[in-house]
Amino acid sequence: MTDDRTTTISATFETREAADLAVEHLVQQHGISRADIFIRAAGDRNTAGAAPSGGDASHEEGARRDAPLAGGIEVSADIASSQATAVERSFADAGALRVSSR
């Protein structure tokens, strides 16, 4: 008998760049459908993360000052319970600040 239970794994990242990397790991390394992956601000305010990254950090005059840096980015995925340990490890490898499951 196979275990077909699902669980939701969530992780918080400091930058949008790290969150995007985590999503790519989920899709490419674990075969998780993008429809089962969700990205949102970790708090109540719109945010691009807690620190400049990617295009926000690579301007000639230094990091952009107009990016909404109001907190972390949360990535969550609905996955097979059997994938939980591997997904938690991928989140950690991508730089997750916190990882939880429910």
Side-chain angles (χ1 to χ4, degrees), residues 21-83:
L21 178 63
V23 169
E24 291 309 311
H25 285 185
L26 296 178
V27 172
Q28 295 175 12
Q29 295 175 354
H30 302 288
I32 297 170
S33 170
R34 288 187 190 271
D36 292 326
I37 302 170
F38 309 92
I39 303 171
R40 67 180 196 91
D44 293 337
R45 297 179 57 201
N46 183 33
T47 184
S53 67
D56 290 336
S58 62
H59 286 274
E60 291 176 9
E61 295 115 27
R64 290 180 54 176
R65 303 282 183 236
D66 61 341
L69 301 176
I73 305 287
E74 182 181 273
V75 176
S76 61
D78 296 333
I79 61 168
S81 294
S82 61
Q83 293 179 293

Side-chain angles (χ1 to χ4, degrees), residues 7-11 77 79 84-85 87-88 91 98-102:
T7 189
T8 301
I9 304 288
S10 300
I79 61 168
T85 300
V87 168
E88 288 172 356
F91 278 156
R98 287 178 298 287
V99 179
S100 62
S101 61
R102 59 173 194 256

Side-chain angles (χ1 to χ4, degrees), residues 3-21:
D3 181 2
D4 59 355
R5 293 177 297 158
T6 60
T7 189
T8 301
I9 304 288
S10 300
T12 303
F13 297 89
E14 184 175 34
T15 65
R16 180 62 192 223
E17 183 177 32
D20 288 342
L21 178 63

